[in-house]
Amino acid sequence: SSDNRVGLRCIHCKDHPQHITAATFFPSTIGSISSGLGTIGARHFGWGKCPFVQPETVQQMIETKKTSGLQTRSHGRVGLDAYCKNLAKQYGILDDANSGICWIEGTVPNFNITDDLLQRKMS
C-alpha cells in the first residue's frame, strides 16, 4: 500500500523545511533504485544543491564513482544495481504496481538472503 511506500532522501538535508532540488526520490521499481541514487548523486550533490553536505563528502563520492565502475568490471565486484536489488530483497521491499516500491511492515532484515549472482561474486 502507499502507506508503506519506500523513498530515498538525502540524509544531510532531510529535516530542512523547504524543498531542495533532487533531495528525494520515490523509485517506481526495485530496478530503478540505483538510477535514483545516481540522480541524487548527480543532481543533488554534484550540482551543489545540498547546503548541508561537507565538500569532502562530495569529493569522496566523486572519487568513489570514478573507481567503482572500473573495479566492478575488472575485479568482478558487485555493481550498485545488483547491490540495491539484493538489499531490497533482504529488507522485504517489493515492487507494487499501484504505488511504486513498498516495504512489508514488520519485516526484519534477513542478511542471509542473497541472489545467485551476488552470492557467486561474493564467494
Side-chain angles (χ1 to χ4, degrees):
S1 80
S2 61
D3 291 343
N4 294 338
R5 188 170 180 203
V6 174
L8 308 171
R9 183 182 341 186
C10 171
I11 193 168
H12 303 285
C13 62
K14 65 182 176 61
D15 296 322
H16 195 282
Q18 296 170 323
H19 171 78
I20 299 175
T21 301
T24 306
F25 175 71
F26 288 90
S28 57
T29 66
I30 290 170
S32 65
I33 295 172
S34 62
S35 65
L37 290 173
T39 299
I40 290 173
R43 294 185 59 218
H44 183 65
F45 296 119
W47 292 358
K49 300 293 183 184
C50 183
F52 303 106
V53 68
Q54 296 297 314
E56 300 81 32
T57 302
V58 174
Q59 189 59 42
Q60 185 178 14
M61 285 189 279
I62 291 168
E63 293 302 318
T64 300
K65 181 162 177 50
K66 285 180 188 176
T67 58
S68 67
L70 178 61
Q71 289 177 347
T72 298
R73 289 187 296 279
S74 64
H75 301 314
R77 299 220 173 130
V78 176
L80 180 60
D81 189 54
Y83 176 80
C84 289
K85 288 175 181 176
N86 191 69
L87 199 63
K89 189 181 289 187
Q90 291 174 333
Y91 276 87
I93 296 171
L94 304 171
D95 286 331
D96 183 323
N98 297 321
S99 61
I101 63 173
C102 294
W103 173 66
I104 302 169
E105 194 168 342
T107 301
V108 176
N110 182 349
F111 299 112
N112 294 318
I113 298 174
T114 56
D115 68 15
D116 295 335
L117 174 63
L118 187 68
Q119 188 64 44
R120 285 194 305 272
K121 287 193 173 200
M122 288 172 43
S123 57

